[in-house]
Amino acid sequence: MVYHRDRRAQGRGGHLERSRPPNFPTGRSSMTSTTSAPDNIQDGPFLSRLTPRTVRGALAFLVLITLVPTLLLLAAVDWFWYRNHLDQARQTNLEVSRAIATALDSYLQDLFRQQHTLAAALRDLADHPGAHPDELLEASREQYESVRAIHWVDAKGIIVASSDPATKGLNLAERESFQVLQSGQERVISDLLTSPVTGEPVFVVGERMPEADGRFGGAVLTIVYPEALSRTVMNIRVAPSDFLVVFDSTGTVVFSNNPRWMGLTFSHAQDAALYEALAGREADGTVISPDTGARRLAARVPVRSTGWVTGAGVSLATMASPLLRSVAWISVLIVAVAALCLTLAVLIGRRISLPLDALRRHAHAIGEGRLDHRARVHGLVELEELAGALNRMSEQLAAARVNLEQTNADLRRSNRDLEQFAYIASHDLQEPLRAVGGFVTLLQQHYRGRLDERADSFIAAAVDGAARMQGLINGLLEYSRVGTRGNPPVPTKAEEALRNALENLQASIQESGATVTSDSLPTVRADTAQLVHVFQNLIGNAIRFRSERPLEIRIGARQEDHCWQFWVRDNGIGIEPQYGERIFLIFQRLHTRTKYPGTGIGLAICKRIVERHGGQIWVESQPGRGSTFYFTLPDAGARHEQSCETKTD
């Protein structure tokens, strides 16, 4: 005998997934077999999860799904309006930026013309020692509100005359704008600078003054205040939230109607359109304010003659405010309408749900067996008719229950009488059968060989018949005692029950050379002695009906809800599938007594024991490959009213 326990996980998958008796229904088969097609009205799984499960909730849900498309339509209208507003703003920004660029270019060209005139006049004054060039420069400066000063610089970079006398004598030779003119360029416009006199931001417009022989003879430099451009060049009417800006060739703000931007330099990440315009192309896009991080929709236009860029824009928050106001009003309207509709839905739902609640309570009362309960419903005609039908059903069920209780009482009395008869019959037959068997055995012992061979065979047949009759009576007695002499089911360790069964079968296991293995078995609610009998009978059958191969028997279990499914698997001779139910009937045999001894009552007793515990037993087998017997028992923690007779996966 080889017996060991396998501690691997209980009830592994594989072939066990299909293990169930022919009448052991799955969830799907049980549903389709017990529900007729016309009455099987069910929502799809998606719809059942999506929709509420109460009348009031369903009405509220209906209101919401009616309002949602309207809300989406209004939102779409607002969105298209906003997109159209964005397109108009882009076009306006481009037009304003172009207007600023044109005005700035015109202003600078006017300065260049004035400087050209001043340069010619200053050359003439150079031939008159008593002339006053400072007065000429001051008179020219007064013509332009945005001009801070006009300087006459000689070829060495020294200011020899200026509208600002305090600057005379300053050396501007190191200034980039002077060096550009000195190198031969006729005109120059500097980027934003800091005035060495006032410390304020300025930019320089310069004109080269050549000598008669063409050599560099000096320059006229005009110092311009960027802020003053707002009263000359940048006098374009814009909305209070719009902003205007002028950049130099480095991307630094020369002028803006937002004072916080003066002198700031925009990065490419903040203003990609600016750098595209610095490359000579008009552009628009979203700009991030370097001081506040606010997002604005802006356009950028290059000023061709200077390398500068002008721009105009509007805050996206300002543009979105009408949309937000519209959404707010729409939301208020939607909430008001939804509140009104939901109130109506609740009132209507109450008119429906109150009768339904009464019907539900009536149905629960019927389910609890209180068939004298009656539903009282007033309101909708359909619900009143349903209440009447339920009341009539209660009356019919009450009458049927009386008949059923009478029938059950008669059946219990009949079963009790039959069990008592079987017990008495089998018990009372014991004594005369023992007497017959004893005398026949004595006759065989005393007269064997004294009579002829035919007489000996008759006596042997009588002895064998008496022995078989004794076995049948004992089996019948044991079958009748399953229901009358069994102990109440209690938490029982299946491993201990298996161990006791194997000890009872120790001699047969050693004789057959069987290898018996077991998984870890659970604790179930059972009669311990009867569970030992089930294990002993199933393992004994595996030993009795073994093949020529070395016998291997394996016992295991797996949990299914509140039940445990056990199995006893062998590699014996197997059973034809058509006999899967017949072998559990009393006194049914598939083989002759000479080949496989037995009474044919063992599996019937196992079936009665398992069913007494609220379980089922069945077999799956293939001839020549072995059999697997399954049976189910309740878990130790299962309630007494829970059984394992029907089950769904």
Side-chain angles (χ1 to χ4, degrees):
M1 175 184 69
V2 179
Y3 170 56
H4 67 273
R5 182 170 292 105
D6 189 351
R7 294 292 181 181
R8 290 173 290 184
Q10 302 177 12
R12 294 170 295 178
H15 55 282
L16 294 179
E17 292 298 327
R18 61 183 181 86
S19 302
R20 58 178 58 87
N23 59 346
F24 200 91
T26 63
R28 182 177 302 173
S29 63
S30 63
M31 180 183 69
T32 56
S33 62
T34 60
T35 308
S36 60
D39 296 331
N40 189 16
I41 302 174
Q42 298 181 357
D43 292 332
F46 173 76
L47 187 60
S48 63
R49 288 194 299 268
L50 180 64
T51 55
R53 301 181 63 183
T54 63
V55 174
R56 297 178 187 176
L59 290 175
F61 179 74
L62 181 61
V63 170
L64 291 178
I65 64 174
T66 304
L67 293 177
V68 165
T70 304
L71 179 61
L72 293 177
L73 178 61
L74 293 175
V77 170
D78 281 343
W79 174 250
F80 284 118
W81 172 86
Y82 178 66
R83 296 298 302 178
N84 183 61
H85 196 46
L86 283 180
D87 293 338
Q88 292 178 357
R90 288 192 180 96
Q91 186 62 33
T92 301
N93 287 337
L94 280 172
E95 292 175 357
V96 172
S97 298
R98 291 167 184 161
I100 297 173
T102 301
L104 179 60
D105 186 66
S106 176
Y107 174 79
L108 294 176
Q109 294 301 325
D110 189 48
L111 282 181
F112 284 133
R113 285 192 294 269
Q114 185 204 38
Q115 285 183 330
H116 186 74
T117 302
L118 279 176
L122 290 174
R123 279 195 297 269
D124 292 339
L125 289 177
D127 298 332
H128 301 81
H132 299 285
D134 295 336
E135 297 176 359
L136 176 62
L137 295 175
E138 175 62 19
S140 298
R141 186 200 66 77
E142 291 177 350
Q143 298 178 20
Y144 296 92
E145 184 180 359
S146 58
V147 174
R148 167 66 178 80
I150 301 177
H151 304 311
W152 178 14
V153 184
D154 64 13
K156 296 180 180 180
I158 305 299
I159 298 178
V160 296
S162 175
S163 62
D164 184 5
T167 61
K168 293 178 66 174
L170 291 179
N171 190 343
L172 304 181
E174 300 299 324
R175 296 287 179 167
E176 183 180 0
S177 54
F178 177 79
Q179 293 177 353
V180 170
L181 295 173
Q182 190 179 35
S183 65
Q185 187 168 314
E186 294 294 332
R187 295 174 177 177
V188 66
I189 298 177
S190 72
D191 293 323
L192 190 64
L193 306 171
T194 300
S195 173
V197 179
T198 63
E200 296 176 324
V202 297
F203 66 90
V204 178
V205 178
E207 173 88 13
R208 189 171 186 271
M209 294 178 59
E211 296 288 351
D213 56 2
R215 291 182 297 107
F216 178 65
V220 177
L221 301 180
T222 301
I223 311 301
V224 182
Y225 278 137
E227 292 183 359
L229 292 176
S230 62
R231 293 182 294 274
T232 55
V233 177
M234 314 288 283
N235 57 355
I236 298 175
R237 291 184 176 273
V238 294
S241 58
D242 295 347
F243 67 96
L244 308 176
V245 65
V246 177
F247 299 92
D248 64 17
S249 62
T250 65
T252 302
V253 176
V254 175
F255 168 79
S256 174
N257 57 355
N258 183 357
R260 294 191 302 270
W261 284 12
M262 294 295 295
L264 294 180
T265 300
F266 281 57
S267 66
H268 189 280
Q270 294 170 332
D271 194 345
L274 167 62
Y275 287 86
E276 189 171 349
L278 288 174
R281 297 180 297 274
E282 291 184 353
D284 64 76
T286 302
V287 176
I288 301 176
S289 177
D291 55 342
T292 63
R295 301 171 67 85
R296 290 179 168 86
L297 185 66
R300 301 289 183 254
V301 173
V303 182
R304 307 294 180 183
S305 62
T306 64
W308 287 10
V309 172
T310 61
V314 63
S315 170
L316 287 175
T318 302
M319 292 186 59
S321 60
L323 175 64
L324 296 178
R325 286 194 299 271
S326 175
V327 170
W329 280 108
I330 291 173
S331 300
V332 171
L333 178 62
I334 290 295
V335 169
V337 173
L340 177 61
C341 293
L342 290 176
T343 302
L344 294 176
V346 169
L347 295 177
I348 297 174
R350 182 179 177 85
R351 181 173 172 80
I352 299 175
S353 62
L354 289 179
L356 286 180
D357 287 340
L359 293 176
R360 178 178 56 83
R361 290 192 298 271
H362 181 56
H364 281 303
I366 296 175
E368 294 170 357
R370 294 185 285 118
L371 300 180
D372 57 341
H373 188 276
R374 294 294 179 267
R376 295 173 177 83
V377 173
H378 303 285
L380 299 178
V381 175
E382 292 83 355
L383 296 181
E384 291 180 356
E385 293 177 353
L386 178 59
L390 288 176
N391 290 334
R392 289 191 297 274
M393 183 183 69
S394 299
E395 296 172 356
Q396 295 171 0
L397 287 176
R401 183 166 67 178
V402 173
N403 295 333
L404 181 62
E405 290 176 350
Q406 181 63 40
T407 302
N408 287 340
D410 295 342
L411 184 60
R412 284 193 297 269
R413 184 171 56 255
S414 176
N415 288 338
R416 188 166 55 250
D417 293 343
L418 288 174
E419 289 178 355
Q420 188 68 18
F421 171 77
Y423 175 76
I424 292 173
S426 59
H427 184 272
D428 292 347
L429 286 174
Q430 294 283 347
E431 185 59 30
L433 184 60
R434 278 196 294 268
V436 172
F439 283 115
V440 173
T441 302
L442 290 175
L443 184 64
Q444 185 183 43
Q445 292 175 352
H446 286 284
Y447 293 99
R448 180 181 295 168
R450 296 184 181 183
L451 303 175
D452 58 11
E453 183 177 344
R454 189 176 181 184
D456 288 343
S457 66
F458 289 162
I459 294 173
V463 170
D464 181 63
R468 287 190 288 106
M469 179 63 72
Q470 183 71 43
L472 292 174
I473 292 175
N474 289 337
L476 182 62
L477 183 62
E478 185 176 4
Y479 183 83
S480 67
R481 286 176 174 174
V482 170
T484 59
R485 301 296 178 89
N487 297 319
V490 296
T492 301
K493 294 182 178 179
E495 289 190 354
E496 294 184 1
L498 176 62
R499 188 181 304 111
N500 293 337
L502 293 175
E503 290 176 357
N504 297 338
L505 295 171
Q506 185 174 5
S508 299
I509 293 174
Q510 290 179 344
E511 179 184 353
S512 63
T515 300
V516 182
T517 58
S518 169
D519 296 338
S520 179
L521 300 182
T523 299
V524 294
R525 184 161 54 85
D527 180 340
T528 304
Q530 290 185 349
L531 181 57
V532 171
H533 185 95
V534 171
F535 278 128
Q536 183 173 328
N537 188 278
L538 295 179
I539 297 173
N541 282 350
I543 295 173
R544 183 179 301 113
F545 298 102
R546 63 184 181 272
S547 64
E548 296 181 356
R549 298 188 302 271
L551 179 59
E552 296 179 357
I553 304 172
R554 184 174 185 84
I555 301 96
R558 70 170 182 178
Q559 189 170 16
E560 295 184 346
D561 296 334
H562 58 275
C563 298
W564 284 91
Q565 182 188 91
F566 292 84
W567 64 82
V568 178
R569 182 177 294 113
D570 63 62
N571 61 343
I573 62 174
I575 303 171
E576 293 287 346
Q578 62 266 31
Y579 301 126
E581 295 184 12
R582 175 184 170 186
I583 60 174
F584 293 103
L585 301 178
I586 190 169
F587 300 137
Q588 294 297 315
R589 298 174 52 86
L590 302 181
H591 306 280
T592 62
R593 287 185 298 272
T594 57
K595 187 173 183 180
Y596 295 104
T599 62
I601 201 172
L603 288 178
I605 294 175
C606 290
K607 183 175 186 292
R608 192 167 188 195
I609 290 173
V610 171
E611 290 179 349
R612 175 178 178 255
H613 288 77
Q616 279 194 319
I617 185 170
W618 69 96
V619 65
E620 292 184 358
S621 178
Q622 292 184 4
R625 300 185 61 179
S627 303
T628 301
F629 283 83
Y630 297 93
F631 64 94
T632 57
L633 294 175
D635 182 70
R639 297 191 301 273
H640 288 281
E641 65 272 13
Q642 290 179 319
S643 68
C644 304
E645 292 183 354
T646 58
K647 178 175 171 48
T648 59
D649 290 344

